[in-house]
Amino acid sequence: MFKRKISKFLFWGIATLFFSVVFFSCISPGIKEEKSCSRKLLADGIKNENQLAEFFLSENPNVSLQKVKSLAKDYIQEAKTEGINSDVAFAQMCLETGFLRFGNLVKSEWHNYCGLGAIDSSKPGEKFPDQQTGVRAHIQHLQAYATTEDVKLKKALVDPRYNWVHKTKLAYSVFDLAGTWATDKNYGTKLDALLARLEQF
């Protein structure tokens, strides 16, 4: 009798365990897995246009959602073409433009999203005809930093400073852009902080 009770107990214990494994294995794909944004320049971005837009608008809600999503889409597409990390490029755009507030040398209508050529009042920066060209120039400039000379661009060159930097400097991550892309020694740390915030979206 005692043995039968133990057998019954074991049977229901195993059955319950089996049910639990099957049940939770079925629902686990729905659990959102947290992933970190890579700090490498040559990497795949993990954020889609909605997530990039949500991150942007949390810092500057005065820009239209349509505008930000359009910009995010251009960054994802252009970065993917050249093998550049779209998360890094978008975060850098946010840093360089103050989340499209501008206010320094570069004007918003120039579509210069990374301060290309902005040195002083006599050289305020490069100008591009439209948003996509400006984004492409930014991505190409990052590609110039991130690759060696044998790696060719996939699209026609629009970055007027591409050959100036390509290939005198080499950067593997956002931290390598400090003292190279920007004179600010904390430049990489600032980008890293923005990416850490982007990871929350």
Side-chain angles (χ1 to χ4, degrees):
M1 190 67 159
F2 183 70
K3 288 183 179 179
R4 285 183 183 176
K5 286 185 177 180
I6 293 178
S7 298
K8 212 172 189 181
F9 177 79
L10 286 173
F11 171 79
W12 285 112
I14 293 170
T16 303
L17 178 62
F18 176 79
F19 175 80
S20 299
V21 169
V22 171
F23 178 76
F24 286 109
S25 66
C26 289
I27 66 168
S28 60
I31 298 173
K32 186 178 179 182
E33 183 181 345
E34 294 297 327
K35 288 183 69 178
S36 298
C37 297
S38 175
R39 271 54 171 175
K40 293 180 180 179
L41 303 188
L42 296 177
D44 292 328
I46 63 170
K47 299 299 182 180
N48 60 41
E49 62 186 78
N50 292 324
Q51 292 168 318
L52 292 175
E54 189 180 356
F55 161 69
F56 181 98
L57 293 172
S58 72
E59 297 292 331
N60 184 6
N62 296 319
V63 181
S64 73
L65 175 62
Q66 182 180 1
K67 163 70 176 177
V68 181
K69 287 184 72 172
S70 171
L71 188 60
K73 185 177 180 180
D74 281 344
Y75 266 98
I76 291 170
Q77 291 178 344
E78 295 294 332
K80 184 176 182 180
T81 298
E82 301 297 348
I84 294 298
N85 186 338
S86 54
D87 296 335
V88 166
F90 191 84
Q92 188 178 34
M93 176 278 296
C94 292
L95 177 62
E96 289 284 348
T97 67
F99 288 84
L100 294 185
R101 292 184 180 93
F102 293 95
N104 294 317
L105 295 170
V106 178
K107 307 298 181 184
S108 61
E109 60 268 24
W110 296 354
H111 303 290
N112 184 342
Y113 301 110
C114 62
L116 272 176
I119 300 172
D120 53 37
S121 57
S122 64
K123 295 179 180 179
E126 302 292 344
K127 301 174 184 178
F128 301 99
D130 52 55
Q131 175 181 287
Q132 187 175 32
T133 306
V135 172
R136 185 171 299 175
H138 181 186
I139 296 299
Q140 290 181 348
H141 208 63
L142 277 172
Q143 193 265 8
Y145 272 83
T147 64
T148 51
E149 197 169 2
D150 58 301
V151 181
K152 305 301 180 184
L153 289 169
K154 300 293 191 302
K155 293 187 177 180
L157 179 64
V158 297
D159 171 16
R161 299 177 67 79
Y162 183 85
N163 292 318
W164 176 80
V165 67
H166 200 248
K167 301 296 185 195
T168 59
K169 298 174 182 178
L170 193 61
Y172 296 101
S173 75
V174 296
F175 302 103
D176 298 322
L177 296 175
T180 54
W181 182 292
T183 55
D184 183 0
K185 293 181 179 179
N186 295 316
Y187 192 76
T189 304
K190 291 175 181 177
L191 284 174
D192 177 57
L194 282 176
L195 288 166
R197 281 152 63 188
L198 175 58
E199 287 169 350
Q200 300 171 16
F201 292 86

